[in-house]
Amino acid sequence: MAVAGGAGGEPFPAVDKCDVDASCRRAGRRAVVVVSDLDGTLLRSRSAFPYYALFAFEAGGAPRLALLLLLAPVAWLLRRAAASESAAVRVLVFAATAGARVSDVESAARAVLPRFYAADVHPAAWRVFAACGGGGGRGRRLVVTATPRVMAEPFLRDYLGVDAVAGTELAAWRGRATGMVDARRGVLVGERKAEAVREMVGDGEMPDIGLGGRRSDYAFMSLCKEAYIVPRDPVEAVPADKLPRPVIFHDGRLVQRPTPHAALLAVAWFPVGFLLACVCIAAGALLPMPWLRRAFGALGVRVVVRGAPSPPPPSAGGRGGVLFASNHRTLLDAVFLSVALGRPVATITYSVSRLSEVLSPIRTVRLARDRATDAATIRGMLDDGDLAICPEGTTCREPYLLRFSALFAELTDDIVPVATECRTSMFHGTTARGCKAMDPFYFFMNPFPEYTVTFLDKLPAELTCGGGGGKSSHDVANHVQKLIASTLSYECLHSLLQEQYKFIGIKGECLHIT
């Protein structure tokens, strides 16, 4: 293949020179095949360290992330001084995956990595890559990478529409990753990438367009009819709404992209943050509720209260309590609602850990997942006093609200919508894959976390089921959802978010009865 030299002495031209329409015309009626590297090509970042760091933390927490940080300089020296990209990848793979369950590795790749990958797509490479495929017989999109295939494939196939992925294969024994690389193929660099491309294309065919970003890509790029280098110049990532499928939900504990600096900061802060979290949780369990707002403030936890909280119910002769219907951000929603009110408000759950129940400063009652039984339970709790419910069904970190269950609207007309919002800078206080008992700890482990509780006006009688307005329970639930979404400037999602949860196998943790 003859190619014109690129800028800076590169043997291939820059990707900006690629005329996709001309390439399609040269291919004639045959579908165009494009093959691309991942790091530094389809992704802006040339270092895969942040993605190995995500794996390390999900697989073994701070100790494994610390191990990765210790071995990362070794990997850097092997890549730079010894010019061995293969050895560098082996070191990172060992630190991030050794001893981890293969099922956990696969789960993290589906639920954690896509959010970070999606924020790192290179615009110039994506322009070419997207134009050459996407179904309908228009072409095939192939990716070949030194990154372990199990890490990259879920995002590439499910969110970028890639047809085939060739990557480094992990060795496993009895369901656990050994930390080694499968010896049959080894690490996909240099000629091994070229061999993988030949296998994917098959029948002696040549890919039409090749995209690479470093010297180890030249071998497979030379197999292509046209090949282009993605420059190192800093660029803005492709906007999320320009990708084929949005990444709405993501799991994992780390808030920030774990660059070496951010990962080192998280490891250094972890013991301090855990001690601080223990103090905060002990304060919540031992101190009277009216004192907690000041106590949390002294410990660095800011509680912002907006709106006019409902007054406490009468001590005797009342009609029962008020139902606070809140969106669901973390397992601490009802706790901080109680802190904002200055009095404990009971809540209902059906998937909270025993440890969380023991340490909770408010009363928690488990549901039975039977509609009639649960309705009777909620009515009984309302007869005893105020009740906090999260009808969203599960937590969501994005600026969206999931469909609200309508059951709460059938059981009372005394409904106060509550908009809750939490801000964290280092760790997420929610998880769908990990240990649920650690959720409150991770929230309080953040430096200066913040919870905002906004009390909206109580629903007027004409907007309730039994107040003479003739509203159905679904109408009331949808109205409450829209009120909260408007207050938070969130978007109401129904089928799209439900589909996303189903796709990654996430189940709700609070009330979710249709």
Side-chain angles (χ1 to χ4, degrees), residues 134-321:
R138 290 182 294 166
R140 295 179 64 204
R141 300 171 182 167
L142 311 177
V143 170
V144 57
T145 175
T147 296
R149 179 188 56 80
V150 69
M151 288 174 58
E153 187 172 39
F155 169 73
L156 293 172
R157 283 187 176 274
D158 298 323
Y159 295 96
L160 296 189
V162 172
D163 296 290
V165 179
T168 300
E169 297 292 341
L170 301 182
W173 183 72
R174 293 189 176 182
R176 289 185 178 270
T178 63
M180 302 292 113
V181 171
D182 191 320
R184 289 171 294 179
R185 175 169 283 183
V187 179
L188 290 196
V189 296
E191 286 297 330
R192 292 184 184 273
K193 281 186 177 179
E195 294 173 7
V197 169
R198 292 189 188 99
E199 292 178 7
M200 286 193 292
V201 176
D203 298 328
E205 293 290 331
M206 297 173 62
D208 295 283
I209 300 175
L211 303 176
R214 64 190 76 196
R215 290 184 178 276
S216 61
D217 297 332
Y218 291 174
F220 87 82
M221 294 170 69
S222 298
L223 301 176
C224 305
K225 297 177 182 178
E226 304 174 35
Y228 301 90
I229 285 286
V230 177
R232 295 175 178 266
D233 303 333
V235 292
E236 293 293 327
V238 176
D241 59 356
K242 300 299 182 183
L243 298 178
R245 179 179 180 181
V247 182
I248 296 176
F249 183 90
H250 73 289
D251 198 23
R253 291 295 191 184
L254 295 177
V255 174
Q256 303 291 337
R257 174 183 172 86
T259 60
H261 178 268
L264 180 61
L265 185 61
V267 170
W269 174 258
F270 195 91
V272 178
F274 184 74
L275 178 62
L276 181 62
C278 291
V279 174
C280 289
I281 290 174
L286 299 176
L287 295 179
M289 188 61 69
W291 296 6
L292 280 186
R293 188 175 177 185
R294 291 182 179 273
F296 282 163
L299 293 170
V301 183
R302 187 181 182 207
V303 183
V304 180
V305 182
R306 296 172 179 164
S310 174
S315 57
R319 298 181 302 162

Side-chain angles (χ1 to χ4, degrees), residues 310-381:
S310 174
S315 57
R319 298 181 302 162
V322 172
L323 188 145
F324 295 97
S326 168
N327 60 305
H328 199 10
R329 305 310 284 178
T330 75
L331 292 179
L332 296 170
D333 292 330
V335 173
F336 278 98
L337 186 149
S338 298
V339 171
L341 289 171
R343 65 179 189 275
V345 175
T347 189
I348 55 173
T349 67
Y350 62 45
S351 183
V352 68
S353 70
R354 292 294 182 186
L355 178 62
S356 297
E357 286 184 322
V358 171
L359 297 176
S360 176
I362 61 175
R363 179 190 175 199
T364 61
V365 175
R366 286 177 175 259
L367 296 179
R369 297 181 185 269
D370 176 79
R371 184 180 179 84
T373 302
D374 293 337
T377 299
I378 294 171
R379 286 194 183 96
M381 296 182 70

Side-chain angles (χ1 to χ4, degrees), residues 51 54-59 101-117 150-151 154 251-252 433:
Y51 306 111
L54 287 165
F55 256 92
F57 195 83
E58 292 300 313
R101 292 187 181 89
V102 174
S103 59
D104 290 342
V105 173
E106 295 171 345
S107 177
R110 291 193 307 269
V112 179
L113 292 188
R115 183 70 166 83
F116 295 91
Y117 274 137
V150 69
M151 288 174 58
D251 198 23
R433 299 171 46 261

